[in-house]
Amino acid sequence: MTITPARPRTHTPRRRRHRVPAPPRHAISLLPEPAPPAEPRSRRAPVRRTCLRAALLRCGLYLGPLSVATAAGEPLGRVAWPVPIVTLLLGWAAAQALTSTGVAVARRAGPSAATRLVGAGFAAVAALWCALVWVTPSALVGPDRGLALVIGLGGLASLATVTAALVTRSEAAIVGWSVPCWLLAAATLAGPAGESVAELPVGTLLPAAIVVAAVRAFRPVVIPGVPGRIPRLTRPELRRGSTFLLIGASQAICVGQLWQAGPSGSTMPFWLPLLLAVPILEALIGWHTDQVDAGLDTSPDGAAYRKHVRGVTLITLAGLLPPLAVGIALALAAYRLPPEAPSQADVLGLAGGTLLGGVFAVTFLLAARGRTGLAATLAAAPPVAAAALPLLPLPAAGPLPDAVAVLAATHLAGLLAVAMTAADDRRTAP
């Protein structure tokens, strides 16, 4: 999930604004669009129809990095565990920050400038990764530094491709160019079933597939003869980018904590609930932001607008409650199993993944409503609390139970924060 800044609104609702409709606020639809017809007309129906399409496009984009990780399963097994964790930390944090700032830059300077910003940002992250691989002891990167270097650069390139697609609004095109990565991941999973598939040179084709998708995503930069430069970021853009950098880093740390706390070789991966929840949560957040924006045109006064927002927030809370309920139910079911049962840790891992998906959704919903500081606080709370719990004079329950308990408390606090935003008449992000 990657939420980009919304267009600011500072005025109060009026009876009916007879003006040319502005571009929709949804994160996928923030960049300049063709000029609308001069005659005013309602824009809400088409925007509502595009919410689900935008969510599905984003899910297709996220399948690209996931497919790369799946296809690279064999080389990932030959490097130390910090390699994928640090790659995820650097790449996801950079993707969040650069998506937030890149959309704003594309809105005021064009997609080429935004693409250059994303490219420069990920180039700096790639340089940092190379330096880390060079100076880190072999015990933390594995016996083959070159392989660790290539794995990290491949993961960063796939996340950079997704980020460039979001800021240039080329999601549909990049999804199509990511199909080779999907096919290689499918071939890797089906390898043991057939000799012809097993003999496919995935190790050679995967880097080529990553590069092809990245070249298409950064086409505004790689086309020869296209002049341009990286624009200077404004102070609000820098502040918002820093906030999303913190959100992305916190989310990556949460994923790493659950992965490390869970049992090795688990047949019930904790990230499975995240994959199942992403399409639903993306559509829910898109629907929420669109309905809140629709109230600006349909509400005759401020009181009616606040009532409208409260109704939308109530429905949204109903959609965000199932991850909390399912996660707590799975955790309770795990504790009813015998402690020596190997499935107890698996069920706890599923509970943690379910709760983590809900925390992600609450965080991004608050960010989409302009509460970026509150969103960053909620995102940072689980890793900070999980690190502090062993220092407190409390009974030691273990890393995985502690992580599940912290995620459940954060999810509940996030729901309360979303409910409280319904009483606040601020419209959108600053």
Side-chain angles (χ1 to χ4, degrees):
M1 289 181 159
T2 308
I3 297 299
T4 49
R7 183 169 56 83
R9 294 180 186 268
T10 57
H11 53 272
T12 56
R14 297 168 184 163
R15 288 203 167 265
R16 180 72 66 173
R17 298 193 303 271
H18 298 289
R19 56 176 177 82
V20 178
R25 285 180 56 253
H26 190 261
I28 297 296
S29 308
L30 283 172
L31 304 187
E33 296 189 1
E39 181 181 354
R41 58 175 179 168
S42 174
R43 60 183 173 89
R44 297 304 169 190
V47 172
R48 282 193 292 269
R49 287 196 296 268
T50 60
C51 286
L52 181 58
R53 178 177 179 272
L56 293 177
L57 279 178
R58 288 196 172 194
C59 294
L61 279 178
Y62 304 148
L63 281 179
L66 180 62
S67 301
V68 169
T70 303
E74 189 274 333
L76 280 174
R78 293 191 279 124
V79 297
W81 67 265
V83 171
I85 292 298
V86 176
T87 300
L88 176 64
L89 174 62
L90 295 177
W92 188 248
Q96 293 293 335
L98 292 172
T99 302
S100 173
T101 56
V103 168
V105 169
R107 192 165 56 230
R108 63 180 173 87
S112 296
T115 307
R116 288 184 176 85
L117 174 67
V118 173
F122 271 97
V125 174
L128 175 61
W129 172 251
C130 294
L132 289 175
V133 172
W134 180 263
V135 302
T136 302
S138 299
L140 297 179
V141 296
D144 192 343
R145 289 183 183 270
L147 180 61
L149 178 67
V150 171
I151 287 177
L153 292 178
L156 293 176
S158 62
L159 289 171
T161 300
V162 172
T163 306
L166 289 171
V167 301
T168 60
R169 299 188 62 190
S170 58
E171 299 94 335
I174 301 306
V175 167
W177 284 79
S178 300
V179 169
C181 295
W182 301 359
L183 297 177
L184 291 174
T188 301
L189 294 175
E195 294 183 359
S196 60
V197 176
E199 295 174 356
L200 190 68
V202 176
T204 303
L205 296 177
L206 182 59
I210 296 173
V211 170
V212 167
V215 169
R216 172 58 183 84
F218 288 91
R219 186 172 64 178
V221 176
V222 300
I223 293 178
V226 178
R229 62 183 180 84
I230 302 174
R232 184 183 298 273
L233 296 178
T234 63
R235 196 169 290 180
E237 290 169 353
L238 287 173
R239 184 168 57 250
R240 187 175 180 85
S242 301
T243 301
F244 274 88
L245 181 70
L246 175 61
I247 291 175
S250 301
Q251 291 175 341
I253 292 173
C254 287
V255 173
Q257 285 178 335
L258 275 181
W259 181 55
Q260 281 297 103
S264 59
S266 173
T267 58
M268 301 174 67
F270 73 90
W271 44 260
L272 183 60
L274 284 174
L275 297 181
L276 297 177
V278 161
I280 300 174
L281 298 176
E282 284 276 358
L284 178 63
I285 293 174
W287 176 85
H288 177 95
T289 54
D290 176 54
Q291 290 298 314
V292 169
D293 189 35
L296 292 171
D297 286 339
T298 58
S299 302
D301 51 39
Y305 176 78
R306 287 188 290 272
K307 182 179 179 181
H308 170 80
V309 172
R310 285 195 294 269
V312 172
T313 303
L314 182 61
I315 298 175
T316 305
L317 287 173
L320 293 174
L321 274 175
L324 178 63
V326 173
I328 293 177
L330 287 172
L332 294 177
Y335 285 114
R336 294 181 65 89
L337 296 172
E340 64 276 4
S343 59
Q344 185 184 68
D346 292 336
V347 177
L348 273 178
L350 284 179
T354 304
L355 293 169
L356 183 59
V359 171
F360 279 16
V362 170
T363 300
F364 283 128
L365 180 59
L366 289 171
R369 292 292 307 276
R371 281 64 173 182
T372 53
L374 182 57
T377 302
L378 280 173
V384 172
L389 279 178
L391 305 178
L392 299 177
L394 298 173
L400 186 56
D402 287 348
V404 172
V406 167
L407 287 173
T410 305
H411 194 332
L412 180 59
L415 292 179
L416 295 176
V418 171
M420 291 176 61
T421 61
D424 191 345
D425 60 355
R426 288 181 297 171
R427 308 294 188 265
T428 58

